[in-house]
Amino acid sequence: MSTPPASRKGTAYGRLWRRLPAELAYLVVAFPIALTGFVLVISLFSTGIGTLVTFFIGVVLIIGALYVARGFGTLDIMLLEWTGRPAIPRPEWQDARARTGFFGWLRALLGNGHYWLYLLHTMVVDFVIKTVTWVIMVVWVSVALGGLTFWFWNLFIPQGEQGWYLSEWLFPTAIFDARTVDNVLYLALGIVFTATLPIVTRGLTSLHWLVARGMLSAWKSDALQRQVATLSESRGAAQSAEGHSLRRLERDIHDGPQQRLVRMQMDLAAADRQLEADPEKARGLIAEAMQQSKDALDELRALSRGFAPPILLDRGLVAALESAAVRSAVPTRIVDELPTGTALAQEIERNAYFVASEALTNAAKHSGATEVEVRVSLLEATDRAESWLTIVVTDNGMGGAFSIAGHGIAGLQERLRGLGGTLELSSPAGGPTTVTARMPLPTGAQHP
């Protein structure tokens, strides 16, 4: 059953009253804060402009004014959010130029339009608006409180001492007790101003929020720049991770199968020379060559499992992880928390398997663990706009693991960053060690 319009209005009006204390507190403190910011910023900025001929002193003072304005603007945003107004996105304060040295930082600061908008807001706009709204708030509260209490303190004014009556001014020809009618008129006026007080405070606070939203919030171009920077960083990370994987594969092939194949070639050449002179010795060399061939094939299969084992393509991620757990040197338990019917893209499954198998290998080699748990789950946003595949590998080893550039965990971090994901390592001394990998799923990922 739908809610009657009167009920909805009453609920909205009640919400206004619930927000009144915070909004009233904001309006009370806003003017002193704005006045302080106005005095500080205009003093620094005007002095900086006046001493700009010295360059160093003038620039330092202007930079100080920009930073002070930024602080007061940020404080105003925080206070507005405290009153219950919607959050205002913060701007980007530095760009890539800031990492190129002092003059790059200086160009990034002085060339950032947000700093100058915050300066204009603190030095002119905010001070003017808060002065006006503070006066309106003080007048409204004074009339409301004065009207509601006039009848009381009017009792203590001696008869004949009050030289002016509102009722006589409104009704000059009427015959009545002016003192009593004034009490009624002021009480009615106080009730009206009190009833409309939360509406006024909401309007004044909303005005400040709109000004702050227009001058102090991030621009749409900021989000685009962050996205471009993130994509560039992800691309670099993906290239670095791919290069690391290729170098590792090359090293593993060189140290394993290639050496065995060279040995097999030498054994076959020696067997060929001994075939007529010493057939028994030749057969022994051929047997050794066959064993080298078998070992090389096993190593090649092991290497292929590190990238995309057949079971991963045939039966999916969980089955592949269970197969890796069986082969692991440390007893491993797989915990599948994926929703029933979840279907992941092959690229996601391949990278998830690679990360999990690498974490298992590191645990077996370095942790001294006697038990490992691999937990696979799906983390979804509340609006189901995006979802993340999460893999947590925990061992009960001695801990103390850390990331070294170009090795192990660092390589996994590069790989995941290239996918737009993250990898976190927690390994206090004494254990346990926990590796948490998160990968964003593409929009087309299927899940129930």
Side-chain angles (χ1 to χ4, degrees), residues 69-70 72-78 80 88-93 114-115 117-122 126 130 208-219 222:
R70 170 182 167 180
F72 277 95
T74 304
L75 176 61
D76 193 41
I77 291 176
M78 294 171 60
L80 285 169
I88 296 177
R90 307 299 197 270
E92 286 290 335
W93 293 111
H114 290 296
Y115 276 104
L117 275 177
Y118 272 61
L119 181 72
L120 179 64
H121 178 266
T122 304
D126 191 50
K130 280 191 170 64
H208 287 296
W209 182 85
L210 289 173
V211 172
R213 182 68 177 83
M215 298 188 67
L216 306 182
S217 67
W219 302 329
D222 291 344

Side-chain angles (χ1 to χ4, degrees), residues 250-261 296 299 303:
E250 180 183 12
R251 182 178 64 250
D252 290 343
I253 291 177
H254 178 272
D255 295 341
Q258 180 175 322
Q259 297 297 327
R260 295 190 183 280
L261 291 174
E299 289 187 358
L303 287 175

Side-chain angles (χ1 to χ4, degrees), residues 23-39 72 75-76 79 122 124-138 208:
E23 293 174 349
L24 198 58
Y26 168 77
L27 293 171
V28 168
V29 303
F31 174 71
I33 293 175
L35 178 60
T36 305
F38 168 76
V39 172
F72 277 95
L75 176 61
D76 193 41
L79 290 175
T122 304
V124 180
V125 177
D126 191 50
F127 175 68
V128 173
I129 294 178
K130 280 191 170 64
T131 301
V132 174
T133 57
W134 190 80
V135 170
I136 294 174
M137 181 271 302
V138 169
H208 287 296

Side-chain angles (χ1 to χ4, degrees), residues 151-195:
W151 61 271
F152 175 75
W153 51 266
N154 192 30
L155 297 174
F156 301 96
I157 300 177
Q159 291 287 345
E161 292 294 329
Q162 185 173 346
W164 184 86
Y165 292 94
L166 177 63
S167 56
E168 290 181 348
W169 179 75
L170 292 175
F171 315 106
T173 61
I175 300 175
F176 45 68
D177 182 12
R179 190 183 184 96
T180 302
V181 175
D182 268 19
N183 288 342
V184 175
L185 289 177
Y186 282 122
L187 180 60
L189 192 63
I191 293 174
V192 170
F193 272 71
T194 301

